[in-house]
């Protein structure tokens, strides 16, 4: 048994009932075989054992009162996974499916993603099984305040800087920040994705979606191609999906489908983004309304069917494991040539295999959606310097970072003899920097 196999076996044994964590760890560790082979000192230092064990896991009770006066209790999490290259950094997810396995998979991914940005940020993730959907603003505020009443003691601008993820957007960050500021009496960059009036950065809202398109554009360019005239399918109907759609359209692509967790819309004439934004961002409504408002578009209950729509480029931007092997095969059969992961771990291990075997250019999440956290790090830099960059300045830096990531993962894959395998490239390039820092720090 190799070193990697032993670490994986132990991880599964000692962290039972954490399937998403096992999946992310398997995807990462199996690609690191050639790196640990080249560096026998890693095994001596138990580097992989330390890499897969969070530095700290915080779990807490979040009690709050709903609009009917009833006391509700949710679970709160913050996994401070790895601070070798910078303060813990990563989003908070509020969704009923949240559990320790999901937060740990996200945290593990985040370590390498943040490393790939080239900026000094470590990996962390947190969240709650609270469901903001259908809650009043007051209920969301009550929940966020209670959540921060515990979280504040564990975070700080140089310690751990949370941000948004599924179910956590500008509104939630505002309430969380307000409560942190009240408790600590500090107006600092302790959260990113803040509003522009209180220290946020331009482009952070758009960053993950834009970044996804910038890196995909670079992959297209390397093959003498572009977004112009391409048919694109995007899953999700949230922050990442909306701004991926906007940027893809601005580059001449036709986005024909999107979904939320109830169903998908197909618009052969191209998605009307102003209508999408009105439904989602203004009214907090459901995607179903799109078909009622736009002639020629169709709404279908259920999500999976979206992957049967023929496209050149598929951009999963909703959640983990939304593309399985069968959906991947359907995409391939229908001529899909590029997959860029806007969501975290949207493709199962089997789906990735289908894409790679069939020559699809597959850009894995930790590279493809790194634009969000990269821009969070730019927000931290602006907060520390007490300065604001213009939209054009931040956007240019984001684009530069994404283009860089593409070439780094491309070169790392080539260096190890796996040209075009960006899962290998991203894991290896991201891991090397973290491993270097961990070795330099000694046994900690
Ligand atoms: P949002 O909450 O803004 O939107 C999430 C969207 O995905 C919603 O349309 C939601 O539908 C849909 N969705 C969630 N769960 C499911 C499900 N089980 N099945 C089908 N659809 C689902 O989140 P974001 O756009 O911020 O995040 C989307 C993905 O991108 C996540 O994987 C996140 O981790 C990742 N990501 C986000 C970053 C960011 O900066 N925000 C950065 C990097 C990655 P519904 O409303 O019906 O629940
Ligand atoms: O998955 C992610 O990278 C995010 N949700 C963004 C994290 C951040 O700190 O901006």
């Amino acid at each position: 048994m190799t070193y990697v196999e032993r670490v994986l076996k132990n991880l599964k044994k000692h962290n039972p009932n954490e399937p998403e964590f096992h999946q992310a760890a398997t995807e990462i560790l199996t690609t690191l075989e050639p790196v640990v082979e080249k560096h026998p000192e890693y095994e001596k230092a138990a580097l992989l054992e330390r890499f897969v064990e969070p530095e700290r896991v915080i779990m807490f009770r979040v009690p709050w009162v709903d609009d009917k006066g009833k006391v509700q209790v949710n679970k709160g999490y913050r996994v401070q996974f790895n601070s070798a290259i910078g303060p813990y950094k990563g989003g908070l997810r509020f969704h009923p499916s949240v559990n320790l396995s999901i937060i740990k998979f996200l945290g593990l991914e985040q370590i390498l993603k943040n490393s790939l940005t080239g900026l000094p940020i470590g990996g962390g993730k947190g969240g709650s099984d609270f469901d903001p959907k259908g809650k009043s603003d007051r209920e969301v505020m009550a929940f966020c305040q209670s959540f921060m009443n515990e979280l504040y003691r564990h975070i700080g601008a140089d310690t751990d800087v949370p941000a948004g993820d599924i179910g956590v957007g500008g509104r939630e960050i505002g309430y969380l920040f307000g409560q942190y500021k009240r408790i600590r009496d500090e107006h600092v960059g302790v959260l990113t994705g803040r509003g522009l009036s209180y220290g946020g950065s331009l482009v952070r809202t758009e960053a993950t979606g834009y970044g996804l398109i910038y890196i995909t554009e670079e992959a297209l360019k390397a093959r003498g191609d572009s977004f112009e005239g391409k048919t694109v399918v995007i899953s999700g109907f949230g922050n990442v999906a909306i701004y991926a759609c906007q940027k893809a359209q601005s580059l001449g692509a036709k986005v024909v489908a999107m979904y939320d967790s109830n169903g998908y819309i197909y618009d052969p004439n191209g998605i009307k983004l102003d209508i999408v934004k009105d439904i989602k961002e203004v009214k907090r409504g459901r995607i179903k309304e799109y078909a009622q408002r736009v002639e020629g578009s169709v709404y279908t209950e259920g999500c999976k069917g979206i992957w049967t729509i023929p496209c050149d480029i598929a951009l999963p931007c909703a959640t983990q494991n939304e593309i399985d092997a069968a959906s991947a095969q359907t995409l391939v059969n229908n001529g899909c040539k590029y997959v860029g992961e806007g969501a975290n771990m949207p493709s199962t291990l089997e789906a990735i295999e289908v894409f790679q075997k069939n020559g699809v250019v597959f850009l894995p999440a930790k590279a493809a959606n790194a634009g969000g956290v990269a821009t969070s790090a730019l927000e931290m830099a602006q907060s520390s310097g007490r300065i604001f960059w213009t939209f054009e300045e931040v956007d240019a830096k984001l684009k530069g970072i994404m283009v860089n990531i593409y070439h780094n993962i491309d070169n790392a894959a080539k260096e190890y003899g796996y040209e075009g395998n960006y899962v290998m490239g991203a894991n290896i390039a991201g891991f090397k920097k973290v491993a270097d820092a961990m070795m330099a720090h000694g046994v900690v």
Side-chain angles (χ1 to χ4, degrees), residues 361-387:
V361 177
F362 177 76
L363 297 164
K366 63 176 72 65
N369 71 35
V373 77
T375 307
S376 279
L378 299 177
E379 181 175 332
M380 290 164 73
Q382 291 169 84
S383 298
S384 305
R386 301 195 188 287
I387 47 167

Side-chain angles (χ1 to χ4, degrees), residues 157-290:
D158 291 313
T159 310
D160 183 358
V161 183
D165 195 83
I166 292 176
V168 178
R171 175 182 60 173
E172 291 74 18
I173 293 293
Y175 293 145
L176 290 163
F177 182 80
Q179 188 69 355
Y180 180 89
K181 184 171 72 59
R182 186 172 187 201
I183 299 171
R184 281 277 171 109
D185 199 17
E186 274 180 4
H187 199 299
V188 293
V190 67
L191 291 157
T192 58
R194 282 170 288 151
L196 298 176
S197 59
Y198 62 97
S201 173
L202 286 159
V203 194
R204 178 62 190 88
T205 303
E206 296 85 353
T208 312
Y210 277 22
L212 171 65
I213 301 305
Y214 291 148
I215 195 169
T216 309
E217 187 187 21
E218 196 62 18
L220 283 156
K221 199 170 131 194
R223 290 157 182 83
D225 212 339
S226 77
F227 266 104
E228 186 65 47
K230 294 288 185 299
T231 301
V232 179
V233 166
I234 301 181
S235 66
F237 187 55
N239 173 266
V240 180
I242 287 173
Y243 291 96
C245 180
Q246 184 175 85
K247 185 55 79 176
Q249 288 181 338
S250 78
L251 296 176
K254 189 197 247 189
V255 180
V256 294
M258 292 177 90
Y259 70 47
D260 64 21
S261 62
N262 292 115
Y264 69 92
I265 46 160
Y266 173 60
D267 187 345
N269 301 314
I271 298 282
K272 315 279 173 298
L273 204 63
D274 51 336
I275 308 258
V276 165
K277 284 183 160 191
D278 183 59
I279 295 170
K280 179 68 185 175
E281 296 184 340
V282 181
K283 304 199 170 85
R284 292 187 188 274
R286 308 301 298 162
I287 208 169
K288 194 178 183 174
E289 293 163 36
Y290 183 93

